[in-house]
Amino acid sequence: MTALTDASQLGNGWLVLIAPPTIPAVALFQQQGIDPKRVLIVHSRKIKNWQQTLERSVSSGHCAAVFTWLPDQIALDKAKLQQISHQAGVPTYFFGTVPMGEVATLTPHLSYGEQDIYLNH
């Protein structure tokens, strides 16, 4: 949560959580000084192309930071993502992997700011 808290101080952009293994409670965001209306969650079951989802999130111009949890079987061009992240000035964080079969079951349907946001469309 420290990286997310730090990222929330970077500006007014979205804090994008891509396929988090659990969804933090709104109260937890608020306790950390994070406005939950700035948090967008991209559910893993909606991601058809992980590389494209990450690239679009980072380069959109609307995100303060991007956090992602990847399934074991997903291979990314991390060098390209680092380059895009550096050019856009958007910190991108990669966290531990989740077994592919468990990804869809770990993230219940939830919305923040009364919107579901899917960046892969």
Side-chain angles (χ1 to χ4, degrees):
M1 192 61 101
T2 302
L4 186 60
T5 303
D6 292 345
S8 72
Q9 307 303 316
L10 294 175
N12 297 324
W14 295 106
L15 302 170
V16 181
L17 307 180
I18 298 177
T22 60
I23 308 297
V26 172
L28 182 59
F29 289 130
Q30 292 169 332
Q31 288 172 356
Q32 298 296 318
I34 300 168
D35 181 357
K37 292 178 183 173
R38 290 186 56 209
V39 177
L40 297 180
I41 296 176
V42 180
H43 303 281
S44 61
R45 66 180 175 272
K46 296 291 184 176
I47 300 172
K48 293 174 179 48
N49 183 321
W50 288 78
Q51 181 80 28
Q52 184 181 58
T53 299
L54 283 160
E55 288 178 16
R56 286 183 178 180
S57 298
V58 171
S59 65
S60 72
H62 301 288
C63 299
V66 176
F67 301 83
T68 188
W69 291 260
L70 297 169
D72 285 331
Q73 291 82 1
I74 301 298
L76 297 175
D77 183 348
K78 288 188 180 176
K80 183 177 180 183
L81 288 169
Q82 288 175 345
Q83 179 183 12
I84 293 169
S85 176
H86 179 71
Q87 289 173 343
V90 175
T92 304
Y93 302 88
F94 295 90
F95 296 101
T97 59
V98 177
M100 188 64 158
E102 296 177 22
V103 170
T105 60
L106 287 174
T107 53
H109 182 74
L110 194 62
S111 64
Y112 284 92
E114 300 180 19
Q115 292 181 329
D116 288 325
I117 306 296
Y118 302 113
L119 301 174
N120 61 329
H121 295 298

